[in-house]
Amino acid sequence: MSILNAFVTPELALIGVDTEAMLPSGDLQQVCKIVVNPVLSAVVGFRGLDLMQMASAPVFSGWKGTFDALAEYVPELMRLCEEHCITAHGQPKEQLITNFALAGFSESSGCMVLHAYERTKHTQPIEHHRSIPQFYAPYWGDDHLKSLGICADRKGMEVLAREQCRKAREERPTDFACGGRFFIAEARRDSIRIEHAFEFPPHGKDC
């Protein structure tokens, strides 16, 4: 899996992602996990099976409708992408665990809004969390999050990502790909900026 975090206020949405991905062979590669749609002031971050991002990215970038309509369509999009991954790529259903985080300017709310989508098991429905203030993955509970003492801003997102990387490598060192570079997208109405925030330490070194 990967690191995917998002914070939102009425004026600003922040989405942060790492770049590390693990191939079936166990080899690590660096990949892009963010897609933007400047017309909608929208950013979507991905976590999980890379084929899901590859299948869904054209829809996010080429959507011909409102942000609100896109947000409601995403669960159906995920379902269609899952079918594609199974039929075209022979992907086992149990490996379709995926998170999407979509932030953008909501026409109905008149502000920046965050939606999160989770596929935890193929036997369960895709969860759609509407108009939430933040999203964290991986997530180890409220007590762990509170212990970091962070604010929902750019600096807080960097602190959180470093801790997520440290804890993931400590608890699941062989099957949890996280690291590489960390990018933060800042989305406002009519403005999107993406910057390389920092680089995670190589595996085997402290985060």
Side-chain angles (χ1 to χ4, degrees), residues 14-93:
L14 299 175
I15 291 186
V17 295
D18 70 338
T19 61
E20 190 167 276
M22 183 180 292
L23 300 178
S25 63
D27 293 337
L28 298 175
Q29 286 193 344
Q30 303 302 307
V31 300
C32 173
K33 302 178 185 178
I34 288 179
V35 172
V36 302
N37 185 319
V39 176
L40 301 181
S41 303
V43 178
V44 58
F46 302 89
R47 178 176 183 262
L49 183 65
D50 58 352
L51 291 173
M52 288 289 290
Q53 174 183 350
M54 294 166 65
S56 63
V59 175
F60 286 110
S61 61
W63 181 254
K64 297 178 178 65
T66 66
F67 173 82
D68 292 329
L70 173 60
E72 292 304 316
Y73 178 67
V74 171
E76 175 65 8
L77 172 61
M78 292 176 69
R79 187 188 67 78
L80 294 172
C81 290
E82 288 175 347
E83 290 182 2
H84 169 75
C85 291
I86 293 168
T87 58
H89 299 280
Q91 194 67 39
K93 292 181 178 181

Side-chain angles (χ1 to χ4, degrees), residues 79-169:
R79 187 188 67 78
L80 294 172
C81 290
E82 288 175 347
E83 290 182 2
H84 169 75
C85 291
I86 293 168
T87 58
H89 299 280
Q91 194 67 39
K93 292 181 178 181
E94 60 271 15
Q95 294 184 11
L96 294 172
I97 298 172
T98 312
N99 297 114
F100 289 7
L102 172 67
F105 183 77
S106 165
E107 299 82 2
S108 62
S109 300
C111 62
M112 301 300 293
V113 170
L114 171 64
H115 294 257
Y117 311 85
E118 295 183 89
R119 165 69 84 192
T120 53
K121 291 184 179 179
H122 193 70
T123 56
Q124 297 178 355
I126 294 169
E127 297 181 41
H128 180 183
H129 306 281
R130 295 175 173 83
S131 301
I132 57 176
Q134 63 260 326
F135 176 82
Y136 314 101
Y139 178 63
W140 282 282
D142 287 345
D143 290 343
H144 175 257
L145 185 62
K146 290 177 181 177
S147 71
L148 302 179
I150 62 173
C151 297
D153 56 15
R154 183 188 175 95
K155 182 172 180 57
M157 184 168 284
E158 292 186 22
V159 171
L160 174 61
R162 291 180 188 276
E163 169 61 11
Q164 287 168 310
C165 182
R166 182 200 67 77
K167 194 167 177 64
R169 291 181 180 181

Side-chain angles (χ1 to χ4, degrees), residues 3-5 15-19 154 157-162 164 179-184 195-200:
I3 293 173
L4 171 60
N5 301 319
I15 291 186
V17 295
D18 70 338
T19 61
R154 183 188 175 95
M157 184 168 284
E158 292 186 22
V159 171
L160 174 61
R162 291 180 188 276
Q164 287 168 310
R181 302 161 72 189
F182 191 72
F183 284 84
I184 298 177
E195 291 186 348
H196 172 210
F198 65 88
E199 190 162 348
F200 293 97

Side-chain angles (χ1 to χ4, degrees), residues 167-190:
K167 194 167 177 64
R169 291 181 180 181
E170 178 183 273
E171 296 194 358
R172 297 174 59 183
T174 60
D175 66 344
F176 201 113
C178 66
R181 302 161 72 189
F182 191 72
F183 284 84
I184 298 177
E186 299 183 4
R188 296 175 173 82
R189 186 176 186 181
D190 302 323

